[in-house]
Structures are given as C-alpha cells and as structure tokens.
Amino acid sequence: MQRRKFIQGLGLTSAALAFMPDFVFAEDGKESDFAKHLVPVGRRLEMEGYYVWCNSPIEGPDGKIHIFFSRWVATKKMGGWINGSEICHAVADGPEAEFKFVDVVLAPRGPGHWDATTCHNPSIKFVDGKYCLFFMGNSNGKTNTKRIGLATAPTLNGPWKRPDQPLLEAGPAGAWDDHCTTNPAFIKQTNGEYWLYYKSWNTAEYETSKDPLVRGNRKYGLAISRNLEGPYVKYEHNPVIDFSSRPNNAQLEDAFVWMDKDRINMLARDMGIFNHEYGLLMQSKDGKKWNEPQVAYYDAAHYHIGQPPPPSYLKKYGRFERPQLLFQNGKPTYLFTTSQGGKYMTASSFLFKIV
C-alpha cells in the first residue's frame, strides 16, 4: 500500500463509496483486509481546555452524524478519564464535516451514586425503537468500582433515562473479573437475545503485577439477556477472549462488535499481540470462540501522519484508541478513533474512511 499517497490525498477522501467489500482475514495471517481499506482523514472535534476521548458515532434520522464522546478538563492531564470524565453529544452534517458541541449527556453525579466520579466509554446504539447509550461509571475515582451502565432515550437529543444501578456487576472475589466491568460492546442477536461483551481483570493479579508496561491481564467476557435492560447473565465459559497464556502479558481492550452475515466481528486495541500501538480485528461464528487476531489498523507513523514532537505528559502519542464504526445504509463507512495530541496538545477524535 502506498501510505505516503494517503496523506497527500486527504482532500480526496470525501468521494462517495462505489463499492463496500465484505471484510475477511488476509492470507498472510497478520494484516486484515479491513486494514487495507482504511484511508486517514484527520482529526475531528478538538476542544480547547479538554481531552476528547471515546467517540461513538451514529447517523440520525435527520441525516446528520451524531457522536457521543468523553471529555475531561485538560488540567487533569490524561488521568482525568478515571476521576472526572463526562459524556457529551456533538453533531455534524457529515462524517468529515465540523462537529459542533450540543450538550453534556451524562456527568458524574457525586457521592452516593455508582457513577459518582466519572462517566466514560460511551457506545451509542439504536435498539428496539430507542437510543441506547452504554457507558462506564465509577464511584471512587479508581478502577475497582468501574461498572457498565445503560441510559436510554426516545431521540438522540434525549431526554435520557439514567440508570440508578449498573447494568453489569463485577464477579465474586477471586474470579477473573472481580475487579470491574468496563468497555461495553453490544449486539442484538437474530434470535432476540441481547449480548454484552465486557472487559475485566483479576484484582489480585492487578495488585501484585510486576509487569513494567501494564498491570494485570485484561480479558473479555460475555453476558446475555432476554431483555434489553437486563438482567444480564454471564456466560458460564467466560472469559471468551483470554490472551494471558501468550508472551509479553498480551491482552486487549476497547472492543467494538458488529454482525456481518454469518459472523461477529470485533475491533479492539492491541496490548501485546503485535505491540501496543495497533488495533486488532477478530471474527467468530458463534461469538464465543474467536479466530486468531489480525492487524485492524496501525499507528500514526505507519500512515506517515506528520505531528509535532509531543510534550512530556503525553505518553500514548501516535496511537489510535477506542475504535468505533459509523454505519450508513447498513455498511461501515468510517472508523472513529481517538488520539493524543492535536492543536491543543490534549486529545481528539481521529477519523479514517473505509474505501
């Protein structure tokens, strides 16, 4: 692939899609076909005084593109996601147009609530005639109270019905998922079941880890319900994705799932399969046993995206996190990610077109 030409031709990336291929695994066993169809567009939604993270897009009935995103004040630096994030709404005329801030949808509620200190990880879906905003909250500004919740609304502009209790609790003490539930990824199956994938890890492993890069080992579980708002019952053979037997404390996070014909696809951030800079793509026939991961997308350097040197406080510079897809006419058309840097040297959304 001629990646240098991608950046030189960014102004041409708004051309209409003539054909959308089905994404399959590449024969070389490493790079997915998905990765070969990505063209970087550039940064979107940069906000002075804030870090912008977790950009989840959806096309509204008005034909506009709505995104639900996390933000926190820049004075908190990168760590503000865990103890001060709020979930907001922005709108643009198209995926590559300017996004304009609308309002704050979910903010930390303060003492006595399960989402007292942060609201993060938004993932917007339209299910059963309503808009569903899956998210993570915590109550003490730390990772061990992270829990997944679900807010619902009749329109993208609300009003949002906020949950008094989490949608999914952590496992019992000693379980692989006793630390938290986070990074929600949701699909509704053709048989009417509601499937919720979630990330977690074990508290003891986290507290005693000597890994210099990442403490503990993040795995993915599955919880299933016959009702959208629960209760969700954890699959008895969880975790469904577990890389802990591989070298380098390999793991993953930031999953996004969607159905395509007879398979389920998952995008995620790589944490040691190839490196900590790429994205992963995995596929499954049943949603429980997954094929070997391949590269879904690369880092900024791979696409020859020029950026000024990072300030010392940005430790994840040049990588793309929180992958989320925009669907138009039933097909994925854009990949929304987030990346540190930008004109305010905080973080913003970063957009790829799927061609």
Side-chain angles (χ1 to χ4, degrees):
M1 293 181 289
Q2 299 179 15
R3 297 290 180 181
R4 293 187 186 276
K5 292 184 179 179
F6 281 179
I7 304 306
Q8 296 170 359
L10 287 184
L12 302 177
T13 60
S14 61
L17 296 180
F19 174 69
M20 177 57 61
D22 291 324
F23 297 125
V24 297
F25 282 155
E27 293 181 0
D28 63 10
K30 293 184 179 180
E31 183 182 59
S32 67
D33 190 58
F34 179 89
K36 296 177 181 179
H37 290 274
L38 293 179
V39 177
V41 175
R43 291 186 181 273
R44 292 294 183 273
L45 195 59
E46 298 187 79
M47 302 185 73
E48 187 173 8
Y50 288 94
Y51 283 73
V52 172
W53 211 253
C54 303
N55 302 268
S56 183
I58 190 169
E59 186 174 40
D62 55 3
K64 297 180 183 294
I65 306 304
H66 299 248
I67 61 171
F68 292 82
F69 64 97
S70 300
R71 74 172 187 180
W72 60 92
V73 294
T75 53
K76 287 180 173 285
K77 296 295 191 289
M78 189 63 205
W81 71 270
I82 191 65
N83 63 5
S85 177
E86 59 186 9
I87 296 172
C88 304
H89 176 203
V91 180
D93 290 335
E96 300 184 33
E98 178 185 1
F99 280 92
K100 296 181 179 180
F101 176 83
V102 176
D103 59 4
V104 176
V105 176
L106 299 173
R109 286 192 282 185
H113 297 279
W114 70 272
D115 50 1
T117 45
T118 211
C119 295
H120 199 61
N121 287 169
S123 182
I124 186 71
K125 304 287 183 180
F126 185 68
V127 187
D128 297 347
K130 66 180 74 173
Y131 290 96
C132 299
L133 187 59
F134 295 87
F135 70 104
M136 176 275 288
N138 70 0
S139 61
N140 64 356
K142 299 179 181 179
T143 60
N144 66 340
T145 59
K146 292 199 299 180
R147 300 292 186 270
I148 289 172
L150 171 61
T152 60
T155 76
L156 288 167
N157 292 312
W160 292 93
K161 179 183 176 182
R162 189 160 181 164
D164 291 328
Q165 300 296 329
L167 189 65
L168 191 67
E169 278 287 355
W176 74 272
D177 61 349
D178 69 357
H179 195 76
C180 62
T181 63
T182 187
N183 287 181
F186 173 88
I187 54 173
K188 182 179 179 181
Q189 288 278 23
T190 54
N191 65 0
E193 291 183 340
Y194 302 89
W195 283 29
L196 179 65
Y197 292 91
Y198 68 99
K199 183 186 78 177
S200 191
W201 61 93
N202 177 264
T203 298
E205 291 179 1
Y206 179 74
E207 292 178 345
T208 60
S209 174
K210 294 180 173 56
D211 189 292
L213 199 58
V214 182
R215 295 165 59 193
N217 188 275
R218 286 135 185 83
K219 305 174 179 68
Y220 262 83
L222 169 64
I224 300 172
S225 177
R226 297 297 304 182
N227 299 292
L228 174 62
E229 296 179 343
Y232 281 80
V233 178
K234 294 178 181 179
Y235 175 54
E236 62 181 342
H237 298 299
N238 276 341
V240 293
I241 303 177
D242 180 358
F243 295 148
S244 61
S245 62
R246 305 188 186 208
N248 305 316
N249 193 26
Q251 48 194 290
L252 75 165
E253 65 176 7
D254 294 351
F256 176 89
V257 293
W258 77 102
M259 299 187 68
D260 178 19
K261 295 181 179 177
D262 61 347
R263 62 179 179 261
I264 299 174
N265 304 279
M266 177 182 287
L267 287 173
R269 186 176 85 81
D270 188 358
M271 300 179 73
I273 297 298
F274 299 105
N275 53 43
H276 283 252
E277 312 302 319
Y278 294 175
L280 300 176
L281 175 66
M282 294 175 288
Q283 296 177 320
S284 173
K285 290 286 188 180
D286 62 3
K288 298 169 182 176
K289 295 181 180 179
W290 293 83
N291 289 352
E292 188 69 11
Q294 291 190 312
V295 175
Y297 57 86
Y298 296 91
D299 60 355
H302 179 88
Y303 300 104
H304 302 283
I305 297 170
Q307 301 187 95
S312 61
Y313 59 83
L314 293 183
K315 306 298 185 183
K316 304 175 182 180
Y317 200 68
R319 76 188 191 200
F320 304 108
E321 302 191 31
R322 298 293 301 156
Q324 301 271 309
L325 293 178
L326 172 65
F327 287 82
Q328 295 175 290
N329 297 319
K331 291 287 188 179
T333 56
Y334 286 86
L335 170 65
F336 281 72
T337 67
T338 191
S339 186
Q340 290 185 345
K343 60 184 177 181
Y344 303 118
M345 278 299 160
T346 52
S348 73
S349 61
F350 194 98
L351 187 64
F352 291 84
K353 188 171 185 177
I354 303 170
V355 298

